[in-house]
Amino acid sequence: MLSRFLLGGLAFAGATFAQSSSSYTDPDNGFVFQGYADPTHNVTYGFALPPASSTDYSGEFIGEIIAPVSAEWVGIALGGAMAGDLLLVAWANDGKVVYSPRYATGYVQPTVYSGPNITTLSETVVNSTHWKWVYRCQNCTTWSGGSISTSGSGAVAWAWSSAAVDDPSDASSDFLEHNDFGFFGQNWQSAQTSNYANYLAGKPGTPTSTTSTPPTSTTTTSTSSSSTPTVTGTPYDYIIVGAGPGGIIAADRLSEAGKKVLLLERGGPSTGETGGTYVAPWAAGTNLTKFDIPGLFESMFTDTDPWYWCKDITVFAGCLLGGGTSVNGALYWYPTDQDFSTANGWPASWTNHGPYTSKMTQRLPSTDHPSTDGDRYLEQLEPVVAQLLQDQGYSQITINDSPNSKDHVFGYSAFDFLNGKRGGPVATYLQTALKRSNVVYKDYTLVSNVVRNGSTITGVQTNDTSLGPNGIVPLTKNGRVILSAGSYGTARILFQSGIGPTDMISLVEGNTAAAKNLPPKADYINLPVGMNISDNPSINLVFTHPSIDAYDNWADVWADPRPADAQQYLKDQSGVFAGASPKVNFWRSYTGSDGQQRYMQGTSRPGAASVNTTYAYNASQIFTITSYLSWGITSRGRLGINAGLTGTPLVNPWLVDPVDKAVLVQALEDIVSNVSQVEGLTMITPDNTTTLQEYVDSYDPGTMDSNHWVGSAKIGSDPSSAVVDENTKVFNTDNLFVVDASIIPKLPTGNPHGMLMSAAEQAAAKILALAGGP
Ligand SMILES: Cc1cc2nc3c(=O)[nH]c(=O)nc-3n(C[C@H](O)[C@H](O)[C@H](O)COP(=O)(O)OP(=O)(O)OC[C@H]3O[C@@H](n4cnc5c(N)ncnc54)[C@H](O)[C@@H]3O)c2cc1C
Ligand SMILES: *[C@@H]1O[C@H](CO)[C@@H](O)[C@H](O)[C@H]1NC(C)=O
Ligand SMILES: *[C@@H]1O[C@H](CO)[C@@H](O)[C@H](O)[C@H]1NC(C)=O
Ligand SMILES: *[C@@H]1O[C@H](CO)[C@@H](O)[C@H](O)[C@H]1NC(C)=O
Ligand SMILES: *[C@@H]1O[C@H](CO)[C@@H](O)[C@H](O)[C@H]1NC(C)=O
Ligand SMILES: *[C@@H]1O[C@H](CO)[C@@H](O)[C@H](O)[C@H]1NC(C)=O
Ligand SMILES: *[C@@H]1O[C@H](CO)[C@@H](O)[C@H](O)[C@H]1NC(C)=O
Ligand SMILES: *[C@@H]1O[C@H](CO)[C@@H](O)[C@H](O)[C@H]1NC(C)=O
Ligand SMILES: *[C@@H]1O[C@H](CO)[C@@H](O)[C@H](O)[C@H]1NC(C)=O
Ligand SMILES: *[C@@H]1O[C@H](CO)[C@@H](O)[C@H](O)[C@H]1NC(C)=O
Ligand SMILES: *[C@@H]1O[C@H](CO)[C@@H](O)[C@H](O)[C@H]1NC(C)=O
Ligand SMILES: *[C@@H]1O[C@H](CO)[C@@H](O)[C@H](O)[C@H]1NC(C)=O
Ligand SMILES: *[C@@H]1O[C@H](CO)[C@@H](O)[C@H](O)[C@H]1NC(C)=O
């Protein structure tokens, strides 16, 4: 729901790092480096700095990257972010190391950056097992928009790829998105060495540090504590792939009807109730994990070891039990009738969503006051935003009491938190499903494709050979497979099963491991998987007001929270930590110059992802209004995979249609039109040197993302424009279904997961009712 990109806009102030640099002596050259060895790819990143007193060598450092040859390219971001940072990228080619300083303004292909003067030193090695680049980097401690704190410490980000750059002989070559990335805390001060000049001369000098083993990391990744039974080639009536909201609800409703269900999830536990153990230092000794505590939501984006994001999808996607609902802002809107209208792309048989929405709200009611004591916390912005909106004719409502009222209304944000903790489908539907003896849940199990005999699916291919011969889990007679792996995950499984556009299946054919699982070419099914997808474009406006508590921009909630708030939460799950950052939401309807109606949603929260102003402002008083365009938007994009089979947007879906853009600019102008009437209210981003039109025109598309991807396997009546029919069955297959955000044809009016869960209730009912099944 918030506009951020993987490596973009991360705030590290005051953060502590799960992985930190330490001192080591390179056994080949004897130099003492301060650095970090990534244990997954065995790449070591080292740095040596001149002493702080040095004037001869100011602004420079000596670095090394030691990588196994499996690393086709490796990059580092010296300031810990991808955008606005000095990036160094290197790879081996023809016995030499090729390197390139780069810079990116967003989450896009970084371009060559001039300024740094980099020299490869003679200690560089390329042999049969490794490449090691030892380099001098002059004019490298400051760059446009950033610097390293040479007498302090900071975050360094690394990126790793198993796919070679486009032209390895060309230092300015383009390359695909990295396959993996991570962060470590770099102690720059400890990297200072009085031997700096000796190193430049190729002499190790007298080491001043004592450690001689390469650094190793400690990881905080949770381990499985699941004790589900092992099955060997056991057939199931329904195999459901992915335990996000779609998959969990399908598993619960199908097992409730007595079907034998296998729910497969590639990730591991999330909340404490599910065996999760990723607990903030201040909650040690409790089962209150990062995924339980609503107030830790903002820390999802600043974690130094964000293991819960899918590493093979370039936008945010949760790869753990609960999927997006374990990591999202949990804004939860009961769907409107328009959300399920034929105008919004649904088949007529879906428009009667009421009974399904009721089933959902009975299981999982919303709350707009999630603290267990019933009080609201950190709501200082409510009267400010209320006054701003009331001046424009808005009225206040309890939003989920009147789901269809979405024009000129505002109210307290509603969530699917329960008992002061993250609730969602994991705390409700999953718990009832797991109690049934006809349900098997298996985590850490990756499904690559379905196994097909022509139009019939016979099983799913997993990476766990204990589940069946070669890891293939079979179906019972007439059994069915349901894909619920999310908008990117489901699309990839379809491509790897020979279903989708030709260009996507060709990429699978080009991958040796995946190609062997494809069906014969004659059985490929051409469907518009990934076509015409949408996501809300969103723009942040940042304000200050003297009444606001910006909550230190959420920077310390994980490592160093306000003690009273932490204690209150631990005592009885009440207080600030029982809520996430959003506090007030509002909607307004517009009709564009094309006659098309569109809705604008506003979300207000203390703090801000970034501020850009030439004037001084008080950072303790900042808050953000994010304005999204939702129902009725006409812009579309495309998602798919790249040659590394990484899920990625292929064509960005935001503001492609100029009318969408004009409506969003109008909505922003309306929001700010009464700012001067609210005493003490100042807009600081954009500030008064920039018009809203200019602001939107120059907005980084990578930060317009709302993580609300829908439509990659659209429901519809025609396989030329849809992937699943009105029963959610994939066209031209006998027994393959999709139940997740992929089927949603067009965006709903609010953040989508409430509407998606109602859709999953309805899909489960339609699948059960469809003849020919188990
Ligand atoms: C950062 C963020 C914030 C958000 N905030 C909000 C919000 O506040 N309100 C809102 O309504 N929506 C929000 N959303 C969107 C919402 O979370 C998603 O729309 C929703 O989770 C989609 O559900 P899904 O079932 O389609 O897929 P997902 O939730 O993505 O679940 C897919 C599951 O499948 C698993 N999986 C994937 N591939 C495989 C495979 N090959 N084999 C086995 N398992 C696999 C994944 O690990 C995951 O558990 C947010 C999303 C993000 C990422
Ligand atoms: C990393 O090193 C360890 C220990 O030397 C080894 O077991 C592992 O296979 C290596 N991994 C890679 C990706 O090279
Ligand atoms: C140093 O690098 C910056 C860019 O980061 C560049 O603008 C500047 O010209 C460089 N200085 C020298 C002396 O090369
Ligand atoms: C880069 O640094 C080397 C070594 O200090 C120096 O010889 C060279 O002149 C520098 N180049 C530029 C363009 O500054
Ligand atoms: C290759 O170089 C690396 C890094 O210097 C070294 O650790 C490794 O032992 C070398 N391998 C061989 C086969 O010489
Ligand atoms: C945490 O959960 C485990 C497993 O469910 C349970 O045994 C333990 O008592 C719980 N601990 C606390 C502090 O609640
Ligand atoms: C708020 O701004 C609108 C213009 O968008 C204006 O018509 C209205 O009079 C203003 N309200 C107040 C109370 O000033
Ligand atoms: C299967 O893949 C998952 C997700 O990547 C991983 O956690 C698990 O260890 C893999 N299992 C096996 C047996 O390799
Ligand atoms: C595939 O299906 C056909 C009928 O459509 C059947 O004759 C054949 O035996 C099946 N093949 C396998 C391997 O099950
Ligand atoms: C900050 O705003 C100015 C003025 O609009 C703009 O030129 C600049 O690109 C912005 N910087 C960033 C990082 O967005
Ligand atoms: C900034 O805001 C905080 C919180 O309202 C206030 O305590 C502080 O005095 C303000 N600082 C300045 C310089 O106005
Ligand atoms: C722009 O904003 C600054 C800071 O709030 C203020 O000092 C200045 O007077 C404003 N300029 C105009 C033209 O409104
Ligand atoms: C995508 O949308 C465009 C514009 O509405 C339409 O022309 C095209 O046929 C659609 N493609 C698919 C595959 O649905």
Side-chain angles (χ1 to χ4, degrees):
M1 53 136 271
L2 295 171
S3 307
R4 290 191 192 82
F5 240 84
L6 284 178
L7 294 182
L10 297 177
F12 283 101
T16 56
F17 296 92
Q19 283 100 17
S20 301
S21 66
S22 58
S23 178
Y24 70 97
T25 304
D26 182 308
D28 298 338
N29 55 41
F31 298 178
V32 178
F33 289 99
Q34 178 74 22
Y36 169 72
D38 154 46
T40 311
H41 307 295
N42 289 348
V43 179
T44 299
Y45 306 88
F47 300 93
L49 263 59
S53 56
S54 160
T55 47
D56 295 350
Y57 301 111
S58 67
E60 65 171 276
F61 62 83
I62 297 171
E64 71 173 11
I65 294 175
I66 311 171
V69 289
S70 55
E72 291 286 357
W73 64 261
V74 164
I76 50 177
L78 290 169
M82 173 146 178
D85 203 347
L86 174 54
L87 314 175
L88 303 179
V89 185
W91 58 88
N93 181 54
D94 198 18
K96 292 197 176 58
V97 173
V98 182
Y99 63 88
S100 178
R102 299 287 176 110
Y103 193 83
T105 50
Y107 202 59
V108 293
Q109 177 77 55
T111 51
V112 174
Y113 187 56
S114 59
N117 177 7
I118 301 178
T119 323
T120 291
L121 300 180
S122 61
E123 290 76 13
T124 297
V125 176
V126 180
N127 62 26
S128 60
T129 61
H130 288 77
W131 54 272
K132 170 159 72 181
W133 180 42
V134 188
Y135 60 96
R136 178 183 190 185
C137 204
Q138 291 168 269
N139 191 21
C140 285
T141 58
T142 59
W143 54 87
S144 174
S147 63
I148 62 177
S149 154
T150 52
S151 353
S153 57
V156 172
W158 58 264
W160 177 94
S161 180
S162 59
V165 304
D166 295 356
D167 179 359
S169 66
D170 177 4
S172 58
S173 175
D174 282 352
F175 41 84
L176 292 172
E177 179 69 38
H178 45 78
N179 305 116
D180 200 1
F181 68 92
F183 304 91
F184 55 94
Q186 172 68 21
N187 189 330
W188 295 111
Q189 180 163 37
S190 300
Q192 292 179 12
T193 169
S194 54
N195 278 316
Y196 192 81
N198 289 333
Y199 293 175
L200 287 178
K203 298 188 294 275
T206 312
T208 50
S209 172
T210 50
T211 331
S212 59
T213 46
T216 51
S217 77
T218 51
T219 76
T220 42
T221 306
S222 70
T223 52
S224 173
S225 59
S226 125
S227 56
T228 45
T230 302
V231 291
T232 310
T234 308
Y236 289 87
D237 295 337
Y238 284 92
I239 301 174
I240 300 173
V241 180
I248 288 173
I249 291 175
D252 186 44
R253 293 303 183 191
L254 295 172
S255 62
E256 182 185 47
K259 310 300 176 191
K260 194 172 169 187
V261 171
L262 174 65
L263 177 60
L264 295 174
E265 165 57 43
R266 66 181 287 183
S270 50
T271 56
E273 182 179 33
T274 65
T277 57
Y278 194 47
V279 173
W282 59 269
T286 73
N287 283 334
L288 296 164
T289 68
K290 185 180 189 100
F291 313 106
D292 286 283
I293 303 179
L296 291 177
F297 166 61
E298 291 288 333
S299 80
M300 298 294 172
F301 307 98
T302 54
D303 199 304
T304 54
D305 178 26
W307 52 268
Y308 38 83
W309 301 125
C310 305
K311 298 293 181 87
D312 54 10
I313 296 176
T314 63
V315 298
F316 285 125
C319 265
L320 76 176
L321 177 53
T325 55
S326 289
V327 292
N328 70 13
L331 284 169
Y332 178 44
W333 312 118
Y334 298 168
T336 72
D337 293 339
Q338 282 206 72
D339 289 346
F340 282 106
S341 63
T342 51
N344 215 31
W346 289 93
S349 60
W350 279 73
T351 55
N352 178 29
H353 73 97
Y356 306 102
T357 298
S358 294
K359 287 179 89 169
M360 174 185 82
T361 61
Q362 277 161 29
R363 290 299 293 278
L364 185 53
S366 74
T367 176
D368 65 3
H369 47 89
S371 174
T372 53
D373 59 9
D375 291 341
R376 293 198 175 91
Y377 291 82
L378 211 63
E379 290 286 3
Q380 297 87 354
L381 59 72
E382 198 274 342
V384 177
V385 174
Q387 191 191 338
L388 185 67
L389 296 175
Q390 274 158 345
D391 283 354
Q392 291 158 45
Y394 280 69
S395 49
Q396 177 156 12
I397 60 169
T398 299
I399 295 162
N400 279 340
D401 283 357
S402 339
N404 286 334
S405 302
K406 286 289 187 303
D407 188 15
H408 283 88
V409 295
F410 72 95
Y412 289 105
S413 302
F415 304 92
D416 50 359
F417 296 142
L418 295 170
N419 306 317
K421 297 190 285 187
R422 188 178 288 276
V426 171
T428 51
Y429 291 94
L430 180 70
Q431 300 310 316
T432 45
L434 291 181
K435 287 197 178 75
R436 296 190 187 105
S437 59
N438 52 329
V439 175
V440 171
Y441 170 63
K442 187 84 177 66
D443 62 1
Y444 296 116
T445 306
L446 182 72
V447 171
S448 50
N449 57 281
V450 297
V451 183
R452 294 171 47 194
N453 175 11
S455 59
T456 307
I457 312 306
T458 57
V460 302
Q461 176 71 57
T462 75
N463 67 343
D464 184 347
T465 50
S466 73
L467 291 178
N470 297 319
I472 295 172
V473 189
L475 288 168
T476 56
K477 184 170 157 48
N478 301 328
R480 290 165 168 170
V481 172
I482 298 179
L483 300 180
S484 302
S487 294
Y488 285 83
T490 287
R492 176 167 41 203
I493 294 170
L494 289 168
F495 303 147
Q496 295 192 144
S497 307
I499 300 171
T502 314
D503 58 349
M504 294 291 104
I505 301 178
S506 298
L507 291 172
V508 179
E509 287 173 336
N511 179 293
T512 325
K516 67 179 190 334
N517 289 332
L518 281 169
K521 270 194 167 54
D523 288 341
Y524 290 177
I525 300 173
N526 189 335
L527 289 173
V529 179
M531 300 297 200
N532 283 352
I533 51 107
S534 35
D535 173 48
N536 306 101
S538 64
I539 299 281
N540 289 327
L541 303 176
V542 187
F543 302 84
T544 55
H545 188 275
S547 69
I548 302 295
D549 177 357
Y551 214 62
D552 315 310
N553 208 12
W554 305 90
D556 297 332
V557 289
W558 176 262
D560 187 19
R562 295 187 189 175
D565 291 343
Q567 277 156 27
Q568 181 182 358
Y569 185 77
L570 292 177
K571 184 166 153 277
D572 59 5
Q573 285 77 63
S574 69
V576 172
F577 278 96
S581 52
K583 299 297 170 190
V584 170
N585 284 91
F586 57 91
W587 283 268
R588 180 167 171 176
S589 166
Y590 287 89
T591 300
S593 60
D594 55 1
Q596 166 76 35
Q597 189 186 13
R598 291 168 177 82
Y599 282 81
M600 181 276 301
Q601 176 185 337
T603 299
S604 324
R605 66 185 181 95
S610 68
V611 171
N612 182 4
T613 177
T614 51
Y615 303 110
Y617 65 97
N618 188 336
S620 303
Q621 300 178 346
I622 57 176
F623 74 96
T624 301
I625 295 179
T626 303
S627 176
Y628 315 69
L629 222 50
S630 64
W631 194 100
I633 62 170
T634 43
S635 297
R636 296 289 182 271
R638 183 180 178 193
L639 68 75
I641 51 174
N642 63 25
L645 308 187
T646 291
T648 189
L650 299 172
V651 177
N652 286 340
W654 311 288
L655 305 186
V656 178
D657 181 342
V659 185
D660 280 346
K661 187 168 176 178
V663 171
L664 185 53
V665 170
Q666 179 62 52
L668 295 170
E669 277 168 358
D670 288 340
I671 290 170
V672 307
S673 62
N674 299 103
V675 166
S676 61
Q677 273 97 50
V678 182
E679 201 187 335
L681 182 62
T682 308
M683 182 161 71
I684 59 168
T685 300
D687 66 20
N688 61 14
T689 63
T690 307
T691 66
L692 286 164
Q693 182 71 51
E694 288 163 350
Y695 184 58
V696 173
D697 283 343
S698 65
Y699 212 82
D700 179 353
T703 60
M704 241 181 248
D705 176 354
S706 296
N707 308 303
H708 298 162
W709 304 93
V710 301
S712 54
K714 264 186 284 299
I715 196 166
S717 55
D718 182 346
S720 70
S721 57
V723 174
V724 302
D725 67 16
E726 65 180 319
N727 293 306
T728 73
K729 184 167 71 66
V730 175
F731 283 111
N732 302 321
T733 70
D734 303 327
N735 56 342
L736 181 59
F737 296 77
V738 178
V739 179
D740 64 16
S742 318
I743 68 168
I744 297 176
K746 298 183 187 180
L747 286 164
T749 318
N751 311 55
H753 92 281
M755 181 264 190
L756 166 62
M757 292 194 289
S758 169
E761 284 276 13
Q762 184 159 188
K766 286 191 158 54
I767 291 169
L768 280 168
L770 182 67

